[in-house]
């Protein structure tokens, strides 16, 4: 099967392509697109058998692309890939054969590949549909354990226990461990919902810190509260709204 991956995050396009190569010899990624318009052009040109579509993309989103593909005489099968579970019902209304929640794990992707090999049409029975929705909701509620982050051209797998803090910068979030820094593109507001709230505290609109990594909390010469991290003595700002986190410390 010839496949196209459409996602506005290059790290995730690269990761999904590598995962597909690891779980299935029957799927050949023949192209990738960074937005919906580019995806539509590639699909019309390359005529793939399957498209892995991110839902939130600039230009045309994944649901809009799927709607336009339905007008084709022989449309490709669609796998939606997203960080959100609340699009699932709409996704299947647009003819999706499966719905993957980011970050994608190898075991779940393997089930998707099996479904692609055995189904020519997006026909799911009630039990299958319920199971997919249940998995999506469970994944959203379960605390994040592993991060897939970039350093240069390489993708690294980082356990959240090794992270000391996250710092939002421009379009990226810097992941800081005790000996290195990495980059992810998950917005900090989404990341805060994926982390265990007892282990990680959002102390500023641009900073989430691991509680056990905090060495001390103090006020600087201007009277602003600052958190100092143990390993590298980084000093992180604390917003006024987060002062209450440290009242009993």
């Amino acid at each position: 099967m010839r496949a196209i991956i459409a996602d506005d995050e290059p790290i995730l396009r690269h990761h999904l392509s590598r995962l597909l190569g690891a779980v299935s010899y029957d799927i050949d990624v023949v192209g990738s697109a960074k937005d919906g318009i580019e995806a539509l052009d590639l699909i019309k040109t390359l005529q793939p058998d399957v498209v892995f579509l991110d839902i939130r993309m600039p230009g045309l989103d994944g649901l809009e692309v799927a709607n336009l593909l339905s007008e084709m005489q022989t449309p490709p099968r669609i796998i939606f890939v997203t960080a959100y579970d609340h699009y699932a019902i709409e996704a299947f209304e647009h003819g999706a054969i499966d719905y993957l929640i980011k970050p994608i794990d190898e075991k779940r992707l393997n089930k998707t590949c099996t479904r692609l090999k055995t189904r020519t049409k997006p026909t799911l029975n009630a039990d299958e549909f319920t199971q997919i929705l249940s998995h999506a909701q469970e994944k959203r509620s379960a605390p994040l354990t592993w991060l897939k982050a970039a350093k240069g051209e390489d993708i690294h797998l980082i356990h959240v226990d090794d992270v000391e803090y996250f710092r939002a910068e421009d379009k990226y979030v810097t992941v800081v461990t005790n000996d290195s820094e990495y980059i992810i593109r998950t917005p900090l507001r989404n990341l805060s919902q994926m982390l265990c709230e007892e282990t990680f505290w959002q102390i500023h609109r641009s900073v989430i810190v691991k509680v056990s990594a905090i060495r001390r909390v103090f006020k600087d010469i201007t009277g602003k509260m600052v958190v100092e991290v143990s390993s590298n003595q980084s000093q992180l700002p604390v917003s006024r709204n987060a002062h209450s986190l440290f009242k009993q410390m």
Side-chain angles (χ1 to χ4, degrees):
M1 287 177 285
R2 291 156 49 83
I4 283 176
I5 297 171
D7 196 304
D8 62 339
E9 299 187 29
I11 293 174
L12 295 181
R13 292 198 303 269
H14 175 71
H15 175 65
L16 178 54
S17 181
R18 289 181 60 180
L19 271 184
L20 283 168
V23 303
S24 176
Y25 295 106
D26 301 325
I27 297 178
D28 181 22
V29 178
V30 296
S32 64
K34 64 181 182 298
D35 57 49
I37 295 172
E38 187 176 347
L40 202 58
D41 289 341
L42 271 180
I43 292 164
K44 290 177 179 178
T45 302
L46 299 177
Q47 298 289 310
D49 302 295
V50 57
V51 181
F52 290 83
L53 271 179
D54 185 20
I55 289 185
R56 289 192 174 183
M57 292 188 295
L60 295 171
D61 66 31
L63 295 172
E64 290 171 326
V65 172
N67 191 49
L68 291 170
L69 291 180
S70 66
E71 300 173 3
M72 295 176 62
Q73 186 173 359
T74 309
R77 284 172 284 173
I78 297 170
I79 308 293
F80 280 112
V81 184
T82 179
Y84 309 93
D85 69 334
H86 54 268
Y87 292 109
I89 294 175
E90 191 173 358
F92 288 109
E93 288 175 347
H94 281 74
I97 198 169
D98 209 342
Y99 188 92
L100 297 173
I101 300 291
K102 300 176 184 177
I104 301 166
D105 60 76
E106 190 170 313
K107 185 177 180 181
R108 180 64 181 86
L109 185 59
N110 192 50
K111 290 183 179 179
T112 298
C113 293
T114 300
R115 182 171 285 124
L116 279 170
K117 294 171 188 175
T118 57
R119 303 288 179 89
T120 57
K121 295 181 180 179
T123 52
L124 298 175
N125 60 43
D127 288 341
E128 289 174 322
F129 185 68
T130 301
Q131 186 179 24
I132 288 172
L133 287 183
S134 177
H135 180 272
Q137 290 162 357
E138 285 174 6
K139 187 155 187 177
R140 182 184 67 170
S141 61
L144 184 65
T145 304
W146 291 95
L147 293 163
K148 300 173 184 72
K151 186 174 184 180
E153 297 296 321
D154 299 326
I155 304 296
H156 296 258
L157 198 59
I158 304 165
H159 199 285
V160 292
D161 288 347
D162 296 326
V163 177
E164 297 208 330
Y165 62 91
F166 300 90
R167 183 179 63 242
E169 297 175 300
D170 298 325
K171 296 180 180 180
Y172 300 93
V173 170
T174 300
V175 181
V176 181
T177 65
N178 62 358
D179 59 0
S180 194
E181 294 188 2
Y182 307 86
I183 295 294
I184 59 175
R185 292 192 64 184
T186 303
L188 206 67
R189 63 180 180 275
N190 294 344
L191 194 61
S192 66
Q193 298 173 3
M194 300 162 69
L195 295 166
C196 175
E197 62 182 15
E198 294 181 0
T199 305
F200 287 90
W201 289 351
Q202 182 156 6
I203 61 171
H204 190 271
R205 61 183 175 83
S206 64
V207 178
I208 295 176
V209 64
K210 184 168 69 177
V211 179
S212 62
I214 296 174
R215 180 185 179 188
R216 63 181 179 128
V217 183
F218 63 95
K219 290 186 177 181
D220 63 15
I221 58 173
T222 65
K224 294 181 179 179
M225 189 175 286
V226 176
V227 157
E228 185 176 275
V229 176
S230 302
S231 65
N232 55 17
Q233 297 185 345
S234 295
Q235 295 185 354
L236 309 172
V238 180
S239 68
R240 189 174 297 276
N241 290 337
H243 281 197
S244 59
L245 291 170
F246 304 101
K247 279 188 176 180
Q248 298 301 321
M249 292 183 70

